[in-house]
Amino acid sequence: MIDEGFVPSRYPLTRKLETDIIVVGGGLTGVCCAITAARKGVRVCLIQDRPVLGGNASSEVRIWALGATSHMGNNNRWSREGGVINEIMTENLYRNKEGNPVLFDLVLIDKVLEEKNITLLLNTIVYQVEKTDSRTIREVVAYNASSETRYEISGRYFADCSGDGILSYLSGAAFRMGAEDKSIYQEGFSPDKNNYGELLGHTILFYMKDTGMPTPFIAPDMALKDVEKKISKIQNDEYFSIHHHGCKYWWIEYGGRLDTIHDTEDIKRELWRVVYGIWDYIKNSGRFPEMETYSLEWVGTIPGKRESRRMKGLYMMTQQDIIEQRHHYDAVSYGGWAIDLHPSDGVYADGRACNQWHSKGVYQIPYRCFLGGDVDNLMFGGRIASSSHVANGSTRVMCTSAHGGQVMGMALALCLQKHCQPSYFVSEDHIAELQRALIETGHFIPDVEVYHQENLLHLASLNVSSSLKFDGYRPNGKYRPLRYSTAALFPADGKLSLNMEVEADSETTLEVQLRISKRKNGYTPDVVLEKVFFPLCKGLQCIQVRFCQELAERQYVFVCFMANEHVALPESDQLLTGTTTVLNQVNKAVSNSGFQNPPEGMGIEAFEFWCPERYPQAKNIAFRLEHPVSIYGKENLLNSYSRPFGGTNAWVPSFDDNQPEITLEWPVKVSISRLTLFFDTDYDQALETVQMGHHMNVIPYCVRKFSVTNLEGRLINHIENNYQAVNQLVFPQPIETKGLRICLQAPSAQVPPSLFHIIVQEQKQ
């Protein structure tokens, strides 16, 4: 029993913690930062001011997490973010393919809690920073109201993943808020500050459900009245539907004319007025009798923020970096979402709720965007990473931010090992060390391939049981109408010739084009090399497509069958890593109408969109190449790309290989402590975390079963239920052997196994 009398004053319980790295902010950026650092063996304190992790992706806000794949509505092939965020996304797919936001909370907390080096503080708000000197943070002071506990947490390095940049702000680091004048960076997409505004607003979402019985709704007094008159988008089918809820109402946005930090509570109340006003309109206007049995199941209490402070880093991303896909010596991450700006008046603005302009592919993000010149032991990332207001329209999205979070976690962990500051890796002499450490985790950096210095793979004799030669896809007996221009996308060289059977419902002419991308390693078919035409009669018939143009070097090609409503193409169920079928069709969710045609002088390129379909609709075109292409050889295992980029980068055995295996043999015995295998989880598929729902819980390309033995056949490891891209096998007792045999089982009869890369690490003395 506690029986304490009156005292003049009391103070909260204070606890002092000491750690290596302090991460402030538990959104996807902070989660990926903390996990990455913890896995390098350093102590991490992850501080989150909410009761759950995930930030805008959590069940408190319920925005789907996306990045470069952009709802599969752009030309960024195989662009889903790798590393820790891909691990999280594929884990969520496996456990939660229906997109339940509460279960995504569970995925995140589970991932963090399994890391023994992470101390997690939820419901804990950082409100003070203590510094050793003007350039060095010593500790943060935070408070947890639910436990009445004040924390003084000291550390060596600090990562600001807080969204509003509270840690950087309190430490005195330079920042910007609002839009730059067009004259500063000559960005053609710079907004008119008076008419369009300077900031993106907040959003609150709602969910509904059918109760099966009449369910009246009595609107609160605060509900917005006359929503039809005040919100023009209610009259627009592109935005409003009685069957929409959740992320479909992303356009319920407000606050861009206010201070998106200090006015957050006022913004939230106005958004509540809007949500309840829209629901009152749906339920009580008399226009929608079919909604009689529907109930309002959930309304957000935390607004999802898009923009506030942006820190001033050693490099500032601009529109030109994105559109021109500029190369940076210190590239460590990438983006690919459209430059996506919204009118500051949000839900009350007339016209479009957003303006999105896409680049022709993914773009690099340099390391210098994650640190500034003011505080030596501080890095910052997420939507506060260094960018202009225009560029932030792309870099701010969650999976791009999370990918940058992994950069910070790895950089700070390496700094601890090397006893240096984050600025160490700004040097051209040192950045490769960070790039290599990231890539070894499955983290992808466009146009950056590094040599793994400690990879014993390069010292081994490498043999495989077989290698598939790509000669097209076998038909499944079904035909698809050619309503949209459709292209087979695969790497090739020399002259192309292919045979296939097509179906016509009347006499017509089929046009077939051979296209490539103007940009190296790009996937926009903007160069037409050749056109051929085939007169067709009614019914099934075989055609032979022969192109005269000879390709001097291996590159991705598009064999384009131009739209013709009288023609149907044969389908195939076969799926082969690094090849796909794309269509020139429409995806209004990301402002894709098949062709991007920006106003003159905006600095944005005009081009066509050719995009893949989602499962289960995703099918390849069936055809047979006369001259098969060797794109799946064992040499692909030696490069460090763990996804298709410029080529398939994968070893794939022949379809008739019943025991596909890879053999590594060294001239002398080696002591192996770790073996990492990189499988295909189809980086072309967007894996939205909530609401969308997905057809399957495991990517069909992914190898589910594999085993590792020594050359004598002794089993070292056997995996039965893999669904992740990166499998790291750690051996507490190092394996002494002269060789390894890696045996893979095909995911299905229509999908052969594939493997991108292998890292074999020797025990360090």
Side-chain angles (χ1 to χ4, degrees):
M1 172 182 175
I2 298 175
D3 185 357
E4 186 174 326
F6 170 78
V7 294
S9 60
R10 293 188 176 97
Y11 301 93
L13 173 68
T14 296
R15 288 183 173 161
K16 295 180 181 289
L17 301 177
E18 188 271 328
T19 190
D20 297 318
I21 297 172
I22 295 172
V23 180
V24 177
L28 292 184
T29 306
V31 165
C32 290
C33 178
I35 289 174
T36 300
R39 288 178 178 176
K40 295 296 287 184
V42 303
R43 297 172 302 161
V44 180
C45 183
L46 175 59
I47 307 171
Q48 164 71 329
D49 61 358
R50 302 300 310 158
V52 293
L53 297 168
N56 281 347
S58 74
S59 62
E60 291 188 311
V61 183
R62 305 193 180 192
I63 299 290
W64 44 43
L66 274 176
T69 54
S70 191
H71 287 302
M72 298 172 65
N74 59 21
N75 292 350
N76 301 348
R77 298 286 62 74
W78 300 291
S79 65
R80 194 175 71 245
E81 293 71 18
V84 174
I85 187 58
N86 185 62
E87 178 184 330
I88 289 170
M89 299 293 274
T90 50
E91 188 71 42
N92 185 62
L93 178 71
Y94 184 71
R95 299 194 199 182
N96 181 31
K97 69 182 179 67
E98 296 79 16
N100 183 326
V102 175
L103 294 183
F104 187 58
D105 288 349
L106 176 63
V107 168
L108 293 178
I109 196 73
D110 211 27
K111 283 289 180 187
V112 168
L113 292 180
E114 72 181 17
E115 299 297 334
K116 303 306 179 187
N117 289 325
I118 296 179
T119 298
L120 175 63
L121 300 179
L122 294 174
N123 286 315
T124 304
I125 300 172
V126 170
Y127 67 90
Q128 186 176 330
V129 165
E130 298 294 339
K131 300 173 78 172
T132 304
D133 54 53
S134 64
R135 300 188 62 86
T136 308
I137 304 173
R138 183 180 73 250
E139 70 176 22
V140 298
V141 183
Y143 184 69
N144 184 311
S146 60
S147 64
E148 294 186 2
T149 303
R150 179 179 179 270
Y151 291 96
E152 296 175 357
I153 312 164
S154 61
R156 291 278 304 279
Y157 302 100
F158 297 80
D160 189 348
C161 308
S162 63
D164 285 333
I166 184 62
L167 174 61
S168 302
Y169 177 76
L170 292 175
S171 70
F175 71 94
R176 282 183 181 164
M177 191 166 172
E180 290 85 359
D181 290 329
K182 188 173 183 178
S183 60
I184 295 180
Y185 296 121
Q186 289 75 51
E187 296 170 301
F189 197 14
S190 293
D192 179 325
K193 295 185 183 184
N194 292 324
N195 295 328
Y196 206 76
E198 294 195 54
L199 288 168
L200 281 68
H202 303 354
T203 285
I204 276 181
L205 304 176
F206 67 89
Y207 274 53
M208 62 185 181
K209 70 176 181 180
D210 189 349
T211 65
M213 63 183 72
T215 307
F217 174 68
I218 301 172
D221 291 341
M222 70 172 175
L224 187 69
K225 307 301 188 293
D226 299 323
V227 293
E228 277 186 292
K229 295 178 181 178
K230 295 175 181 175
I231 302 176
S232 62
K233 293 171 185 64
I234 292 289
Q235 309 299 327
N236 189 329
D237 292 341
E238 181 181 348
Y239 296 112
F240 177 75
S241 168
I242 57 172
H243 300 296
H244 284 174
H245 68 179
C247 296
K248 294 289 187 179
Y249 276 102
W250 59 267
W251 53 269
I252 296 181
E253 180 176 357
Y254 181 73
R257 298 283 184 186
L258 303 176
D259 183 326
T260 54
I261 296 175
H262 299 108
D263 292 334
T264 292
E265 288 300 306
D266 293 334
I267 294 169
K268 178 177 71 177
R269 282 191 286 271
E270 184 63 22
L271 287 168
W272 276 343
R273 293 184 67 230
V274 172
V275 166
Y276 289 115
I278 289 175
W279 188 247
D280 183 33
Y281 171 67
I282 291 172
K283 290 290 292 183
N284 297 323
S285 67
R287 294 173 180 262
F288 312 109
E290 62 270 42
M291 299 301 290
E292 183 185 18
T293 60
Y294 278 79
S295 173
L296 192 60
E297 181 182 23
W298 172 87
V299 176
T301 56
I302 303 295
K305 291 191 179 186
R306 292 182 173 87
E307 184 182 14
S308 56
R309 298 185 184 105
R310 294 172 286 110
M311 307 315 298
K312 293 172 69 173
L314 299 179
Y315 186 89
M316 186 81 70
M317 288 285 290
T318 67
Q319 173 183 322
Q320 292 88 335
D321 288 296
I322 294 170
I323 299 303
E324 298 171 15
Q325 296 164 45
R326 291 177 173 175
H327 282 247
H328 302 279
Y329 77 90
D330 59 338
V332 287
S333 186
Y334 70 97
W337 186 263
I339 300 178
D340 181 3
L341 299 184
H342 301 195
S344 291
D345 291 319
V347 70
Y348 295 120
D350 293 328
R352 297 200 59 79
C354 73
N355 284 281
Q356 293 182 317
W357 297 104
H358 297 260
S359 63
K360 281 188 176 181
V362 297
Y363 56 87
Q364 295 179 339
I365 300 176
Y367 177 70
R368 289 163 291 158
C369 290
F370 300 102
L371 70 162
D374 306 314
V375 183
D376 292 333
N377 61 342
L378 170 69
M379 295 188 73
F380 39 74
R383 59 183 172 86
I384 64 170
S386 182
S387 67
S388 69
H389 168 75
V390 172
N392 188 253
S394 175
T395 61
R396 64 182 171 82
V397 294
M398 280 187 276
C399 287
T400 303
S401 295
H403 199 252
Q406 180 157 358
V407 172
M408 292 189 290
M410 184 65 74
L412 295 178
L414 293 179
C415 285
L416 192 70
Q417 294 175 8
K418 301 178 76 67
H419 306 287
C420 66
Q421 296 290 14
S423 58
Y424 174 85
F425 294 109
V426 172
S427 165
E428 294 190 44
D429 295 329
H430 300 147
I431 189 63
E433 182 179 354
L434 174 59
Q435 292 168 329
R436 178 169 57 252
L438 288 165
I439 288 171
E440 286 179 353
T441 67
H443 185 96
F444 172 61
I445 310 171
D447 284 313
V448 174
E449 185 182 0
V450 297
Y451 181 77
H452 301 289
Q453 293 176 325
E454 299 177 357
N455 191 357
L456 296 177
L457 176 71
H458 300 290
L459 302 177
S461 171
L462 172 63
N463 291 290
V464 295
S465 54
S466 66
S467 292
L468 178 69
K469 288 192 173 183
F470 178 69
D471 64 351
Y473 313 95
R474 303 298 172 265
N476 62 12
K478 298 177 182 178
Y479 291 81
R480 172 183 296 193
L482 191 55
R483 296 190 183 97
Y484 302 96
S485 295
T486 303
L489 175 61
F490 57 92
D493 53 14
K495 289 187 177 182
L496 281 180
S497 179
L498 56 94
N499 299 304
M500 63 189 302
E501 190 174 56
V502 300
E503 185 175 35
D505 63 13
S506 62
E507 288 188 4
T508 188
T509 298
L510 173 64
E511 179 183 354
V512 185
Q513 298 182 0
L514 177 62
R515 297 191 187 189
I516 60 172
S517 176
K518 186 184 301 181
R519 282 191 178 144
K520 182 177 173 61
N521 299 329
Y523 302 105
T524 297
D526 47 5
V527 177
V528 180
L529 297 178
E530 193 173 343
K531 300 178 182 180
V532 292
F533 299 88
F534 297 91
L536 302 178
C537 57
K538 184 177 180 180
L540 287 173
Q541 55 222 278
C542 293
I543 63 171
Q544 184 178 58
V545 182
R546 283 187 172 175
F547 295 109
C548 297
Q549 180 75 41
E550 185 167 359
L551 300 166
E553 60 180 357
R554 178 71 55 82
Q555 61 190 297
Y556 269 98
V557 300
F558 295 76
V559 179
C560 304
F561 300 85
M562 307 311 289
N564 186 327
E565 61 183 9
H566 299 293
V567 177
L569 300 181
E571 285 186 347
S572 175
D573 293 325
Q574 290 183 333
L575 299 174
L576 295 171
T577 292
T579 71
T580 191
T581 296
V582 291
L583 292 80
N584 179 217
Q585 57 181 348
V586 172
N587 187 334
K588 289 186 177 180
V590 290
S591 301
N592 171 352
S593 58
F595 184 82
Q596 176 168 283
N597 190 22
E600 207 170 315
M602 185 174 276
I604 308 287
E605 294 179 284
F607 60 92
E608 293 176 340
F609 292 99
W610 292 73
C611 310
E613 293 189 300
R614 293 176 180 269
Y615 303 127
Q617 288 79 19
K619 302 287 184 182
N620 283 313
I621 305 167
F623 62 89
R624 178 71 69 95
L625 284 177
E626 287 189 1
H627 305 291
V629 189
S630 298
I631 57 175
Y632 294 121
K634 65 180 183 180
E635 65 278 2
N636 288 339
L637 295 168
L638 298 171
N639 76 48
S640 65
Y641 284 127
S642 57
R643 67 177 61 209
F645 182 76
T648 66
N649 297 318
W651 169 70
V652 179
S654 301
F655 270 102
D656 58 2
D657 188 342
N658 296 321
Q659 292 183 309
E661 63 181 30
I662 303 157
T663 304
L664 307 178
E665 190 166 0
W666 291 273
V668 296
K669 271 190 176 183
V670 294
S671 180
I672 301 171
S673 62
R674 188 169 300 181
L675 175 69
T676 310
L677 305 177
F678 298 84
F679 295 109
D680 187 0
T681 53
D682 191 5
Y683 293 99
D684 227 4
Q685 290 286 316
L687 299 181
E688 293 91 343
T689 48
V690 299
Q691 188 170 339
M692 290 285 290
H694 299 286
H695 176 67
M696 55 193 71
N697 71 338
V698 177
I699 297 295
Y701 290 86
C702 189
V703 170
R704 305 297 309 282
K705 297 181 181 180
F706 65 92
S707 61
V708 181
T709 68
N710 63 15
L711 295 183
E712 290 73 41
R714 183 174 68 84
L715 183 65
I716 295 172
N717 212 318
H718 179 72
I719 303 296
E720 283 281 341
N721 187 33
N722 175 53
Y723 50 87
Q724 288 285 0
V726 181
N727 273 249
Q728 189 174 88
L729 309 180
V730 179
F731 310 118
Q733 297 298 320
I735 307 298
E736 303 282 341
T737 185
K738 286 190 68 175
L740 294 177
R741 185 170 285 115
I742 303 167
C743 305
L744 310 180
Q745 182 172 313
S748 72
Q750 300 297 330
V751 185
S754 59
L755 187 65
F756 288 118
H757 189 47
I758 305 169
I759 299 177
V760 187
Q761 291 172 290
E762 194 168 14
Q763 183 186 29
K764 293 183 179 180
Q765 300 300 322

